[in-house]
Amino acid sequence: MMTSTTTLAIGTGAGSLALTAVSALLMGVLGTYTLVHHRQVFAWTRRIRRKDEENTDFDKPAEWLGDLYKAQCRLAQKPCADDDFGDVRQTGNMIKGIVGHVEALRPELAAVVERVGAYVATALPESGPAVKVTVLHHRAQLVMAMRQEAARNELVHAILAAEKRIKAERYG
């Protein structure tokens, strides 16, 4: 009888040893998987953080383009004199100052600055005291107002192209 309990005790020890070995192996695999997964997550986090830091270069141009869009919207379909272009001129000058500092957006921002200049150049002359306006003079003013609106429309297209490029650079 002694031999059967000894064999049973040895068999239980071997099963316990095998269970311990399998458990240790499983824990090792699980630990390795966890380590690999955490490394991937940390690498992804670093990439996102680096991308966010790079995108801070686009914050000011995006904000100023939004301001310029709002300023030109206030002047839409309204004949404007030189005094009306204050906000457009100021925002255009701010964008002009950063054209050389943001390499990725240089062509788009340069186009916006060029369109701002063309739009501001279409300012209508100040109207004098109320006098009777001839038909010829009225038609000339209408033509100038239509040119002004066309220049504003080109500015809108340039602003939207620059904003699209900013989105592509940020998320692309």
Side-chain angles (χ1 to χ4, degrees), residues 1-8:
M1 206 154 165
M2 191 88 162
T3 54
S4 67
T5 51
T6 309
T7 308
L8 183 61

Side-chain angles (χ1 to χ4, degrees), residues 2-86:
M2 191 88 162
T3 54
S4 67
T5 51
T6 309
T7 308
L8 183 61
I10 292 173
T12 305
S16 175
L17 182 62
L19 182 62
T20 302
V22 167
S23 174
L25 182 63
L26 185 62
M27 291 302 288
V29 168
L30 187 61
T32 303
Y33 173 75
T34 302
L35 180 65
V36 168
H37 177 70
H38 282 208
R39 282 185 179 172
Q40 290 172 345
V41 168
F42 290 136
W44 176 77
T45 304
R46 271 182 277 163
R47 280 193 312 269
I48 295 296
R49 186 176 299 131
R50 195 174 321 119
K51 188 81 168 166
D52 287 345
E53 288 170 357
E54 291 170 1
N55 285 340
T56 59
D57 294 343
F58 303 129
D59 289 344
K60 284 294 182 189
E63 177 186 339
W64 292 340
L65 286 169
D67 293 345
L68 183 59
Y69 186 81
K70 288 176 192 172
Q72 66 79 30
C73 280
R74 283 192 294 272
L75 303 176
Q77 299 177 354
K78 171 185 157 192
C80 301
D82 194 48
D83 294 340
D84 298 328
F85 290 116

